[in-house]
Amino acid sequence: MALLPVRSKTRLAFSVAFLLWLVAFILLLNRRLAPSAAESDSHAAGQPPNSRFLAAEFINRVEQQQKELQQLLVESRQLAEALRAQSSIGGNKAGGIGEPTSPRPVMAKLSPADSLPASIAVLVIACNRPTVRRSLDQIFKYMPTSGPHQFHVIVSQDCGHAETASVIQSYGNKLVHIRQPDLSPISVPAKERALVGYYYISRHFRWAFDQVFLTMNYTAAIVVEDDLDIAPDFFDYFIHLGRVMAQDPTVWCVSAWNDNGKSNLIDTARSDLFYRTDFFPGLGWMLLRPTWLELRTGWPAAYWDDHMRKAGVRRGRACLRPEVSRSYTFGRVGVSNGLYFDKYLRFIELSKRPVNYAAMDLSYLLKSNYDSYYLDRVYKLPSVTLDIALGVGSGAPAEVRVQYNGPKEFVAMAKRLDIMPDFKDGVARCAYSGVVPVFKSGRRIHLAPGRPWKGYDVNLEVIDCFVVF
């Protein structure tokens, strides 16, 4: 049997549910109009009916039929929901917002043409970790060897570390090994000496991006650092979400990472669920050459990832990110000295569930669709307190909105939910228009600011969970 489009299946489901309800309602109406057996016998015997008896019986019958009608309506709604769930592909399921299955018309569609270039660079940033082999082995294991896109692995090495260079060269012509030529010391202020590693990294990224986009002339690159594991569908993920980025100028990166992707904060069954976010996630991400040409003129001397999170650099654009991460960092030891690793990063869940991307309509991620669908829906959800949202068996729906009023309240809620509480240029991790979704104790919770929302406060930052202005 030919498969129907998602919208056609949804209409069919509702039509069937409505017809079933209509038939049941007509049968119930016939029962109400037909006289009871006792009344028929009384009239047949020629006995006058007792008016009090008839009034009481009539009231009882009305109440009983009212209960039956209410039960019928409940069952009709349940049937409609069940049919809609079965008819949607990757759509709304318990625990999160997926593809739109709302009757709201979609205002924009993805172009049927493949908008990504045929050749895509996989830029691996390396320095002095021989364990880069772990990352490279996974890249070659999961990288497609056929299809419309060819992936070329380019390992850019800084530091001049001989053992790491030997590991990279052992892959022969499967990859291109380039080396940062400038290994000179970097002069930094005295208070920054302990953080000089961030200066070397930023210098290396600039050089490596120039090599890939300007010297080798690639138009798209996936950036992977030398301490990342990747999911089996890592490349399919970037191919399909990269098409959204290539078509939508309000999307400037695709990231494999969910900052709040710990197993107790996500729906691990929803590898097919994706979001827009105003926060640059990094840790396995894709960008296009025009974005690099824009970034390179103001590239910072250090802390390049925080630079990407600045409002003046982001310019209102978003990244795409998954519910379940497609990358996992195993690099506890590095320039950050394990910052956040023990508390957050080591608990990130790596997706292992297959996703049928070809059957999904990812046009809901386009800004014009997402803003009218996702945000409108969040603000139509029941508003409850965090206590109710976290209460198992509290009777709250499977998806709720919890309003926060200001950054201090958000930080307090974030600590209770065990999500990352920090802000960068006023943006919380995973936030989109201030809304941060979490899946906790079987319930989808959207932390949302009150409306009208005034935008992000770029003067805000959080240090050790204390709000600072």
Side-chain angles (χ1 to χ4, degrees), residues 359-379:
M360 296 183 68
D361 180 4
L362 296 175
S363 60
Y364 72 93
L365 292 168
L366 297 171
K367 181 176 174 60
S368 58
N369 298 337
Y370 198 82
D371 285 5
S372 61
Y373 173 73
Y374 175 74
L375 292 178
D376 284 358
R377 178 172 172 181
V378 164
Y379 281 93

Side-chain angles (χ1 to χ4, degrees), residues 6-249:
V6 173
R7 282 195 217 164
S8 298
K9 288 184 175 181
T10 304
R11 292 193 191 102
L12 178 61
F14 279 111
S15 299
V16 172
F18 177 76
L19 287 173
L20 289 174
W21 178 86
L22 186 60
V23 170
F25 180 80
I26 292 171
L27 292 174
L28 183 59
L29 187 62
N30 286 337
R31 285 181 55 191
R32 292 182 64 179
L33 294 174
S36 69
E39 288 175 326
S40 299
D41 293 344
S42 174
H43 287 300
Q47 298 174 359
N50 185 297
S51 60
R52 289 187 179 180
F53 170 78
L54 287 178
E57 186 181 5
F58 177 76
I59 292 171
N60 288 336
R61 286 178 59 191
V62 168
E63 290 176 347
Q64 180 61 31
Q65 290 166 0
Q66 206 169 27
K67 291 178 182 178
E68 291 176 3
L69 182 57
Q70 288 174 346
Q71 181 61 31
L72 183 62
L73 288 172
V74 170
E75 292 173 355
S76 299
R77 290 193 196 101
Q78 291 173 344
L79 176 61
E81 289 296 325
L83 288 168
R84 181 170 62 179
Q86 291 174 6
S87 67
S88 64
I89 300 174
N92 293 331
K93 302 176 183 177
I97 297 178
E99 292 182 52
T101 54
S102 162
R104 179 192 303 276
V106 176
M107 293 176 285
K109 295 293 288 184
L110 282 173
S111 169
D114 193 344
S115 49
L116 276 182
S119 297
I120 299 173
V122 181
L123 175 61
V124 181
I125 301 293
C127 181
N128 57 358
R129 285 191 179 111
T131 52
V132 67
R133 183 183 298 279
R134 175 170 163 176
S135 297
L136 289 172
D137 283 349
Q138 291 181 43
I139 287 171
F140 288 115
K141 178 180 179 180
Y142 298 128
M143 190 170 70
T145 56
S146 62
H149 300 284
Q150 295 82 45
F151 296 92
H152 303 146
V153 179
I154 301 150
V155 183
S156 180
Q157 186 189 0
D158 200 1
C159 309
H161 190 253
E163 186 181 355
T164 302
S166 178
V167 169
I168 297 167
Q169 290 170 354
S170 70
Y171 288 86
N173 60 9
K174 291 175 69 176
L175 55 76
V176 174
H177 182 195
I178 59 176
R179 307 186 195 214
Q180 154 74 303
D182 185 2
L183 302 181
S184 62
I186 296 178
S187 178
V188 299
K191 64 179 181 179
E192 294 279 296
R193 284 175 187 166
L195 303 173
V196 69
Y198 290 105
Y199 288 80
Y200 287 115
I201 290 172
S202 192
R203 182 174 72 179
H204 182 199
F205 265 86
R206 179 190 172 96
W207 180 82
F209 282 143
D210 273 352
Q211 295 304 303
V212 167
F213 288 118
L214 302 184
T215 302
M216 300 179 187
N217 209 33
Y218 284 94
T219 54
I222 301 171
V223 186
V224 181
E225 295 175 61
D226 60 359
D227 60 348
L228 289 185
D229 289 334
I230 63 173
D233 71 341
F234 182 84
F235 289 97
D236 277 342
Y237 171 82
F238 278 107
I239 287 172
H240 288 274
L241 272 74
R243 290 169 180 162
V244 180
M245 176 176 64
Q247 182 170 326
D248 187 347

Side-chain angles (χ1 to χ4, degrees), residues 332-351:
R332 184 182 186 280
V333 179
V335 294
S336 65
N337 295 316
L339 181 66
Y340 292 130
F341 185 88
D342 290 329
K343 188 173 182 181
Y344 294 105
L345 305 184
R346 70 188 183 97
F347 297 107
I348 297 295
E349 183 84 6
L350 186 64
S351 176

Side-chain angles (χ1 to χ4, degrees), residues 432-451:
Y432 185 75
S433 293
V435 179
V436 177
V438 182
F439 188 76
K440 188 85 169 178
S441 302
R443 180 171 290 126
R444 177 70 60 186
I445 302 169
H446 300 270
L447 296 183
R451 280 189 164 179

